Amino acid sequence: MVGGGAADSSGGMNSVFSEQILADKLSKLNSTQQCIETLSHWCIFHRSKAELVVATWDKQFHSTEMVQKVPLLYLANDILQNSKRNGNEFVSEFWKVLPAALKDVNEKGDDHGKNVVSRLVDIWEGRKVFGSRAQGLHSLMLGEQVPPPLEFSRKRSRSVRIVKRDSRSIRTKLTIGGAAEKIVSAFHLVFSEHRSEDEEMSKCKSAIQRVRKMEEEVDLACSEAKDPKRKTLSKELEEEEAVLKQSIEKLKVIEANRIALVSQLREALHEQVFGPI
């Protein structure tokens, strides 16, 4: 498994970011896809703190046991791949710390850890996650020399003309990297999350239905002091609660992205009607 959601719902998707909250979430991270994806989404939601996110990740990585380092690598991979479409903040920051982390697992880890490192580097090279450094990524990241700084193409900063025609044939000039590109990126992000939203809503409904079916059993178990079913029912309820919490975290991310898109559309409309603020 090379992908991933969050370790813990404490702090909430819309919570104020802090290094301590992230450190706590990182300490509870495991290798399940749902766990890694949820925490990845939380980190990306706080992308303005990318430098601190990666610094905290690096600190946690080098202070934890080897068995916990693989989930942290999976988390880094998920953040890299899912944040890149909207900017290179995480790509730039992880490039500074990943080589040392990969070498650590490659040199001191077991065969599973070494295989994970090799597979992740293959994925990053194939998908050109690190842009101009896509080729020869194994030698760059696992070699003895310190990798050179990343170089990102500046071609996207040029202006382009996007033509929009209405009944009065209005032509609007927009700039890549400006409002137009942000709106398009935000739209694609919201559109791509449609299926995920349906899946999470379905999980929530299923969990609620299962809990409702358990109500009568719970009432009976609670009426008898030493009912042997209490422990089993308690565990099942905790599992359903975990499902609900993780789905809610993902739905909060989807909601936040939708709100961001609406906000950008309003700003663009205001600028069209009244001119730049």
Side-chain angles (χ1 to χ4, degrees), residues 20-273:
Q20 184 55 50
I21 291 173
L22 176 56
D24 183 55
K25 290 175 180 286
L26 290 172
S27 69
K28 297 175 183 177
L29 184 69
N30 62 55
S31 290
T32 62
Q33 183 173 354
Q34 189 173 39
C35 182
I36 290 169
E37 284 179 353
T38 305
L39 182 50
S40 171
H41 290 165
W42 187 85
C43 291
I44 294 171
F45 180 78
H46 293 288
R47 66 185 309 123
S48 63
K49 304 290 185 181
E51 185 176 359
L52 184 54
V53 168
V54 176
T56 306
W57 178 95
D58 189 50
K59 184 178 179 180
Q60 182 72 22
F61 184 92
H62 290 289
S63 64
T64 193
E65 296 180 2
M66 186 58 66
V67 68
Q68 186 65 13
K69 293 186 178 183
V70 169
L72 288 168
L73 288 177
Y74 285 146
L75 175 64
N77 172 62
D78 202 90
I79 294 173
L80 282 168
Q81 296 203 53
N82 290 304
S83 68
K84 187 172 169 57
R85 73 187 75 175
N86 290 321
N88 292 309
E89 301 98 321
F90 284 106
V91 176
S92 297
E93 294 303 323
F94 270 118
W95 178 255
K96 300 172 186 176
V97 302
L98 272 174
L102 295 174
K103 289 173 192 174
D104 185 42
V105 175
N106 210 39
E107 293 171 3
K108 302 175 185 176
D110 56 16
D111 289 341
H112 172 64
K114 293 175 182 178
N115 289 335
V116 168
V117 167
S118 180
R119 193 147 51 100
L120 287 175
V121 177
D122 283 341
I123 289 171
W124 298 336
E125 185 171 278
R127 297 181 182 178
K128 299 182 178 178
V129 170
F130 293 102
S132 62
R133 301 297 179 189
Q135 299 304 313
L137 210 53
H138 275 271
S139 59
L140 275 174
M141 300 192 82
L142 301 175
E144 295 181 3
Q145 301 296 323
V146 177
L150 284 181
E151 295 176 3
F152 296 108
S153 172
R154 296 175 179 268
K155 292 180 180 179
R156 289 170 65 84
S157 63
R158 70 184 187 280
S159 295
V160 295
R161 186 173 294 277
I162 298 175
V163 179
K164 176 184 175 183
R165 295 179 180 275
D166 58 14
S167 58
R168 290 177 288 181
S169 298
I170 296 176
R171 287 173 172 264
T172 307
K173 184 177 182 180
L174 299 170
T175 304
I176 284 184
E181 187 184 31
K182 289 179 181 177
I183 289 171
V184 171
S185 295
F187 173 79
H188 282 303
L189 183 59
V190 169
F191 182 77
S192 68
E193 289 174 335
H194 179 69
R195 180 177 296 180
S196 176
E197 181 179 22
D198 289 343
E199 290 175 355
E200 297 307 323
M201 287 298 295
S202 178
K203 288 179 184 177
C204 286
K205 290 177 182 177
S206 297
I208 291 170
Q209 287 174 355
R210 288 192 291 270
V211 170
R212 283 176 176 169
K213 288 179 181 178
M214 293 167 61
E215 284 181 357
E216 187 175 343
E217 290 183 78
V218 171
D219 289 339
L220 287 173
C222 290
S223 65
E224 298 181 24
K226 297 183 178 180
D227 194 312
K229 289 185 178 180
R230 280 191 172 191
K231 190 173 182 180
T232 302
L233 289 170
S234 176
K235 184 177 180 181
E236 290 177 3
L237 285 170
E238 287 175 357
E239 290 174 352
E240 299 303 337
E241 181 186 23
V243 170
L244 285 168
K245 282 183 176 180
Q246 290 174 336
S247 292
I248 288 169
E249 289 297 310
K250 290 185 179 181
L251 289 169
K252 284 181 179 179
V253 175
I254 294 170
E255 179 189 24
N257 289 333
R258 195 167 289 162
I259 291 172
L261 172 60
V262 172
S263 176
Q264 288 167 357
L265 287 168
R266 282 176 176 166
E267 289 178 9
L269 179 61
H270 186 281
E271 187 171 328
Q272 281 281 6
V273 175

